[in-house]
Amino acid sequence: MGGEPGKQICAGLLAHVDAGKTTLSEGLLYLSGAVRKLGRVDHRNAFLDTDAQERERGITIFAKQAELTWGDAVLTLLDTPGHVDFSAETERAVQVLDCAVLLVSGADGVQGHTETLWRLLARHGVPTFVFVNKMDQPDTGRDRLLSQLRERLDEGCADFSGDWGEVLEQAALCDEGLMERYLETGELDDGDLSALIVGRKLFPCWFGSALKLTGVDEFLAGLARYAPRPVY
């Protein structure tokens, strides 16, 4: 096939422990066709929890990778430890990322360790996408959680699974030149949004349930579409 070469993206998955990070990575691998069977942490058959200790304890200890394809994007997923005891492993992994996926539990909201991970990503200037998981559980109001993300992480958090006009308005507010163009045309293109994401001015957020595969395909499509194309 001719045309522009596909995106090669190295994306790290970061989260507070028990936010469902390994479950999300299993869902991404399954939906993309990289694995044929959906593994589960509680069944001790998760594809990325390969170490005996990990399967026994139900947590990720070692950073490891898997590859999947979505459209023209080849995505290398780096699953990092969520437990604070293994944060040095996470810090090493962050330094090689093109972008990060920060997982937040909709049931628990933004935790202290979530904010620590956010500061780590900011320190290394890593473009960040957010997936709010466990939205199938009770008391997980999307508006309340989005407000919390904006208050505790960054005002640039935008609900990419919600009203698209609101996303464009929020993006336009990040840049004076874009605001002028948006007011004239009412549109911004993918390149505009990607540039804001790379500059850590805009943080796309999706809401769903990794365990039930709700919203995971929309998130994967958005990640493939807006993730920065690395320049080597």
Side-chain angles (χ1 to χ4, degrees), residues 11-16 19 21 24 80 90 97 99-105 110-111 113-121 126-133 149 152-154 157 200 203-206 219 223:
L13 291 168
L14 292 88
H16 185 275
K21 185 166 49 59
L24 177 63
T80 67
T90 302
L97 301 179
C99 63
V101 174
L102 183 68
L103 198 65
V104 176
S105 165
V110 175
Q111 304 285 290
H113 188 53
T114 315
E115 292 178 296
T116 301
L117 291 170
W118 187 266
R119 289 193 294 272
L120 174 67
L121 293 167
V126 182
T128 303
F129 296 76
V130 178
F131 186 79
V132 183
N133 191 27
L149 292 172
R152 295 185 62 179
L153 301 181
D154 196 282
C157 290
R200 286 185 55 86
F203 302 95
C205 305
W206 284 266
F219 165 69
L223 183 61

Side-chain angles (χ1 to χ4, degrees), residues 5-231:
K7 279 185 180 181
Q8 297 271 351
I9 304 158
C10 182
L13 291 168
L14 292 88
H16 185 275
V17 71
D18 289 336
K21 185 166 49 59
T22 301
T23 307
L24 177 63
S25 57
E26 291 292 319
L28 295 172
L29 290 166
Y30 177 73
L31 287 172
S32 68
V35 297
R36 292 182 178 221
K37 188 179 176 202
L38 199 57
R40 281 180 55 162
V41 175
D42 53 348
H43 293 172
R44 298 183 184 174
N45 63 353
F47 178 77
L48 285 166
D49 279 349
T50 50
D51 185 80
Q53 291 179 75
E54 294 178 313
R55 293 199 163 178
E56 185 63 34
R57 295 167 67 180
I59 60 170
T60 301
I61 298 172
F62 307 105
K64 59 192 77 70
Q65 67 184 48
E67 195 170 276
L68 60 90
T69 304
W70 190 268
D72 76 332
V74 178
L75 196 63
T76 300
L77 279 183
L78 209 58
D79 188 17
T80 67
H83 203 282
V84 70
D85 291 353
F86 308 108
S87 52
E89 183 83 7
T90 302
E91 177 125 26
R92 278 196 294 275
V94 161
Q95 296 172 44
V96 301
L97 301 179
D98 297 316
C99 63
V101 174
L102 183 68
L103 198 65
V104 176
S105 165
D108 302 316
V110 175
Q111 304 285 290
H113 188 53
T114 315
E115 292 178 296
T116 301
L117 291 170
W118 187 266
R119 289 193 294 272
L120 174 67
L121 293 167
R123 192 160 70 243
H124 290 281
V126 182
T128 303
F129 296 76
V130 178
F131 186 79
V132 183
N133 191 27
K134 303 190 179 185
M135 292 300 290
D136 54 321
Q137 295 192 12
D139 302 320
T140 50
R142 182 183 296 217
D143 291 345
R144 179 179 58 80
L145 286 162
L146 185 61
S147 294
Q148 191 184 71
L149 292 172
R150 288 174 175 163
E151 283 167 21
R152 295 185 62 179
L153 301 181
D154 196 282
E155 285 188 1
C157 290
D159 182 3
F160 270 52
S161 56
D163 182 275
W164 194 241
E166 286 181 17
V167 170
L168 294 180
E169 279 178 32
Q170 191 169 351
L173 287 169
C174 297
D175 183 278
E176 213 170 289
L178 289 183
M179 175 59 85
E180 285 180 23
R181 182 141 47 88
Y182 178 67
L183 290 173
E184 282 174 20
T185 66
E187 284 298 328
L188 296 174
D189 62 32
D190 287 2
D192 296 327
L193 297 177
S194 289
L196 293 172
I197 294 163
V198 170
R200 286 185 55 86
K201 293 178 179 178
L202 188 66
F203 302 95
C205 305
W206 284 266
F207 296 77
S209 165
L211 189 63
K212 296 189 175 176
L213 294 179
T214 310
V216 178
D217 49 352
E218 291 96 330
F219 165 69
L220 182 52
L223 183 61
R225 182 173 175 178
Y226 297 111
R229 187 186 297 273
V231 178

